Structures are given as structure tokens and as C-alpha cells.
Amino acid sequence: MTKLSIANLPAIDAGVAKPSYRRDDLTPGIVHVGVGNFHRAHQAIYLHRLFETGRDLDWAIIGGGVKPYDAAMRSKLKAQDWLTTVVELDPDGFSAGICGSMVDFAEVDPKALIGTMTGPEIRIVSLTVTEGGYYVDAKTGGFDASHPDIVADSADPTHPKTVFGIIIEALMCRREIGLPPFTVMSCDNLPENGHVARNAVLGLAKCRDDDAHDWIARNVAFPCGMVDCITPATGPREIAIVHDQFGIEDAAPVVCEPFRQWVLEDHFPQGRPALETVGVEFVDDVAPYELMKLRILNGGHATIAYPAGLLGIHFVHEAMRNPLVTGFLAKLEHDEIIPTVPEIPGVSLTGYYEKIVERFSNAAVGDTIPRLCLDGSNRQPKFILPTIAARLAAGQSVDGLALEVALWCRYCAGIDEDGKPIKIDDIAAERLNRQALAARDEPGAWLSMHDIFGDLSGDPVFAAAFGKALASLWSNGVAATLQAYIKS
């Protein structure tokens, strides 16, 4: 067994890919806040592959964080010289490599992180802080200036605690000493992530003073990007894979699927690494790619989640072996979802769909149906309801999409087809359960949640299709309802 460290790299099994570049040759150009599994499986790997080509070695990563779990991650990575073992879970055989693109990790302290971001070599500050980390007001979709964290940073802007307060203070420090501003690059999996990051920074800057707000608005770039790579959480299974199959003692390994995608708006005033040489797509407008992913992939996850959950299926790959689940997915995607996605030059939408079927079917990933079912009150308005609205606006049928919403409602009733209890993993779980039970007799109770459904709450075509689907689920059962839809 070999403990992961720079000194021990020569002793690691020859079948494990190790950095071909010298770590001493790397210098930082990026501060990344939120060094979780997704970042280490995605952005860090793209940079690692770029360094493997021998170029742009001045774009290495310094990690950063603001939460207690960031400090725990820093401690683990420091003990192994900031290296990470990344295992790609290909069903034809796992492969492992050591990622060396991170060269340091700032102390988890606001002052230390501000100082790191103020370094003249830093030209990009990137983020994976999760969707909930952007202080979005659930009701308006704008910035939530009333959040206690934001109120605290507004009251004492030179001693911030939030990542956005830290970014603003670092930008103001750079301005004062005559350094150009860094680019702020969100790598979180959410629509228009650059715009969301910009709204958070400008929203908090406005609370600070108009001068800071206006200067950032004029001078700081916030490129949008679409990111994709299924990356399970690290637990005993993942640590055991690294330990048992590759002989590496790694306190924080990462496992992920072999597939990665990153599409970026090319807006980096202070320069950027040549990531296009290792597979990143740079485009003028990310929106079409985001829409493709949101509707076909994320909408596809929602499509399989609730019927599988109601049928007692635990793993995603097991759901993809069930002909009712896959039949529902195929028909809904081809009949109602894919037709709402505009063509993208050089991209096959049906080919993209076929790829997600392959990815969902990868048993090695071990993705779970409960994970896909969680947070429906937040996910459905992003992944399903806009597609319904688009089809209704075009005068098109929404029978399959209404069935998906009905399956979500039936799931939130809290009991599966075998009478076993379902845990509703959602911040609004109690309310969803109450409305789902009421909807059994009055379907309008579910659609009355206007904060979720918006204008769809009052749409008669959608309401009729939803009511019909829900009635069938309760009276005929999930299997019979799916079978009828697939045959229709």
C-alpha cells in the first residue's frame, strides 16, 4: 500500500497514470473556491491534461474555501501534497490517474483567501459552491439581499465571510494597488452560471457602495459555462476501490464517469489557459448547449427518477434495465423534449440523447434513484416546467410531460407501489406531501403551488393532462399507466 504524496509517486503501481510534468514547474494562475469532488473530476482534470502537453504551466490551481468542510478537505489534501487520485468508472474496466494541477490551498480564513486572490499572478477566480451558494431569492429569482450572510457582509464589507464578499474585497484591493481584475468563472451546474455569479457579486457590491458596484460591472468578466460529469460522493466504496484495486492510500479520492463536457463563453480579459487543446469547447453563446443539457439530460434524469422510485428501484442503472422506465424515457424525449431544443451546428441532438442513455446505464457509477428524486421543488421548475411552457406556447401536446409531473406528485404522496414509505428529500417535503395527498381527490391542489408552477398553475390544457395522468396512477397503478403511455 502506497500513501499518496509527491515523494511516493515512483512507488505507485505502473498501471496508474502519474503526472509527466514536474510539479516544481507549475505556477498558479487560478484560485478555485469549493474544492469538492466535481471540481477535482472536471476542471482540475482538464488543467492536468493541459499540463501534460507541456504548455500553460502558469495556470495551476490554488484551492480556496469558506466553510468548515473546506478546512477538512484542505487538511486531507495538504497531507498528500495537494494530489488527488481520480478513478474513471468505465464499465469495461476502471482506470486511475493522479491529478497534480493543484499546487496549494489557501488557509480557510477570509483574510488569507483575499490575500491569495490579490496576488498579481491570479487571473481567474473559479467557483463550485453549489446552486444554493449563490444567494438566489426563491420567489424572484434575483439576488437575496436579506439573507443573514449577506446582511452581515453588507454591515462589515472589509471583513467578509461569504465567498462573494471575499471576491469583492479582493477586487477592491487589486483596484487600489493598480492590478487588473481577475475573471470570475462559475463552474457550477446551473443555467447561465456566469450571470448568476455576476448577480451575486453585483448584488452584494451594491449593498457596499455604488462605486464598487459600478466599477465591477464595468470591468469584471463573468463567462457562462456548461459543465457535465457524473461524480458520486466519496464514501467507503470509493476509498476501497482506490485502496484495493490500485494500492493507493488516498484520504479523498474521486471516482467519476469517463464522460466530461465543458462548454465555455470565451470572455477572459486577463487571458486563459488553452483548454480548447484538451477538449473544452469555446463558443460565443453557451445558452443553446445549456438548454440541450437542461432539457435532454436533466429532464431525462427527472423522467426516470419518479417512476423508478415508485417501482422500488434503487440504482439508476437498474432503472435503465426496466422496459417501462426506458420506454417512458425514449418516448417522452423523442416526442416532447427533444423537439423543443433548437438545433446546434455540428451537434446531433439524437446522438446526445443516445449518449445520455449510455451514461445512465453505466452500472460502475453506482448513481442512485433517491439522489435523482431529491429537491424536486427546485429541479422541476428548471428541468421540466419550461419545456411544458414551450410546448403549450406552440400549441403542442404535453401528455408525456404532464405524466412526469403526475409521477412526481404521486411520489410525494410518500408511499411506493408496494406500500413502502418514501422519504421525500426536499426542503419543502412537508408541504409537498400535504399537497400530493390532497391532489388524489383534487388534482388542482398540486398545481396550486404557484411559486413552483408559475403561470402553468392556471393553464387548462396542462391541468387537464395532469389530472388525467394522476387519476390513472392512483386507479391503475404506475406500471399500467406507463405501459398505456408507451403504447399511445
Side-chain angles (χ1 to χ4, degrees), residues 306-442:
Y306 299 110
L310 288 164
L311 293 170
I313 300 171
H314 181 72
F315 286 106
V316 173
H317 64 270
E318 291 174 341
M320 296 302 291
R321 296 171 185 161
N322 184 298
L324 292 176
V325 175
T326 55
F328 178 44
L329 174 66
K331 183 173 174 62
L332 181 54
E333 289 273 14
H334 289 300
D335 288 3
E336 297 186 19
I337 295 177
I338 293 173
T340 71
V341 179
E343 291 291 333
I344 301 172
V347 176
S348 165
L349 297 181
T350 55
Y352 182 77
Y353 163 73
E354 290 164 1
K355 186 64 178 179
I356 72 163
V357 169
E358 177 187 323
R359 295 169 62 195
F360 292 178
S361 302
N362 185 346
V365 173
D367 202 5
T368 68
I369 292 298
R371 186 188 76 82
L372 302 190
C373 289
L374 64 82
D375 204 20
S377 64
N378 181 53
R379 292 180 174 185
Q380 291 279 310
K382 294 178 175 63
F383 304 150
I384 294 294
L385 303 187
T387 312
I388 294 174
R391 289 189 63 83
L392 290 171
Q396 297 168 333
S397 166
V398 293
D399 289 347
L401 289 161
L403 174 54
E404 190 281 336
V405 177
L407 285 158
W408 175 40
C409 175
R410 171 66 185 81
Y411 181 89
C412 289
I415 187 169
D416 71 12
E417 289 288 87
D418 292 329
K420 297 176 182 176
I422 290 173
K423 179 186 177 184
I424 306 165
D425 195 348
D426 194 296
I427 193 171
E430 184 178 341
R431 176 190 178 207
L432 293 173
N433 179 244
R434 181 175 63 251
Q435 297 304 111
L437 291 172
R440 181 170 186 173
D441 296 319
E442 177 44 59

Side-chain angles (χ1 to χ4, degrees), residues 159-436:
H159 297 88
K161 299 293 191 294
T162 70
V163 63
F164 301 108
I166 289 167
I167 285 172
I168 293 166
E169 183 63 12
L171 287 168
M172 293 300 98
C173 289
R174 293 177 74 100
R175 179 189 184 189
E176 185 176 344
I177 61 178
L179 287 175
F182 46 71
T183 294
V184 178
M185 179 177 70
S186 172
C187 298
D188 276 298
N189 182 25
L190 70 164
E192 299 185 325
N193 55 12
H195 299 322
V196 175
R198 186 176 191 271
N199 288 343
V201 171
L202 291 180
L204 180 53
K206 187 73 172 178
C207 298
R208 176 178 174 138
D209 61 71
D210 288 342
D211 180 55
H213 171 276
D214 294 346
W215 185 84
I216 291 171
R218 290 194 307 270
N219 294 284
V220 180
F222 296 84
C224 289
M226 185 267 269
V227 297
D228 193 10
C229 180
I230 297 173
T231 310
T234 296
R237 167 185 178 257
E238 288 70 34
I239 292 174
I241 288 172
V242 174
H243 184 281
D244 298 344
Q245 297 195 29
F246 299 102
I248 301 172
E249 183 182 335
D250 186 332
V254 172
V255 304
C256 59
E257 66 171 335
F259 177 90
R260 287 177 186 83
Q261 187 174 22
W262 195 2
V263 183
L264 264 175
E265 180 186 0
D266 200 354
H267 185 33
F268 294 83
Q270 306 311 320
R272 61 167 178 79
L275 291 166
E276 67 274 19
T277 63
V278 287
V280 177
E281 301 168 77
F282 284 95
V283 298
D284 293 329
D285 184 9
V286 176
Y289 295 86
E290 288 179 335
L291 188 65
M292 176 181 71
K293 178 176 180 288
L294 287 169
R295 295 196 176 175
I296 300 176
L297 187 144
N298 297 119
H301 264 154
T303 299
I304 67 173
Y306 299 110
L310 288 164
L311 293 170
I313 300 171
H314 181 72
F315 286 106
V316 173
H317 64 270
E318 291 174 341
M320 296 302 291
R321 296 171 185 161
N322 184 298
L324 292 176
V325 175
T326 55
F328 178 44
L329 174 66
K331 183 173 174 62
L332 181 54
E333 289 273 14
H334 289 300
D335 288 3
E336 297 186 19
I337 295 177
I338 293 173
T340 71
V341 179
E343 291 291 333
I344 301 172
V347 176
S348 165
L349 297 181
T350 55
Y352 182 77
Y353 163 73
E354 290 164 1
K355 186 64 178 179
I356 72 163
V357 169
E358 177 187 323
R359 295 169 62 195
F360 292 178
S361 302
N362 185 346
V365 173
D367 202 5
T368 68
I369 292 298
R371 186 188 76 82
L372 302 190
C373 289
L374 64 82
D375 204 20
S377 64
N378 181 53
R379 292 180 174 185
Q380 291 279 310
K382 294 178 175 63
F383 304 150
I384 294 294
L385 303 187
T387 312
I388 294 174
R391 289 189 63 83
L392 290 171
Q396 297 168 333
S397 166
V398 293
D399 289 347
L401 289 161
L403 174 54
E404 190 281 336
V405 177
L407 285 158
W408 175 40
C409 175
R410 171 66 185 81
Y411 181 89
C412 289
I415 187 169
D416 71 12
E417 289 288 87
D418 292 329
K420 297 176 182 176
I422 290 173
K423 179 186 177 184
I424 306 165
D425 195 348
D426 194 296
I427 193 171
E430 184 178 341
R431 176 190 178 207
L432 293 173
N433 179 244
R434 181 175 63 251
Q435 297 304 111

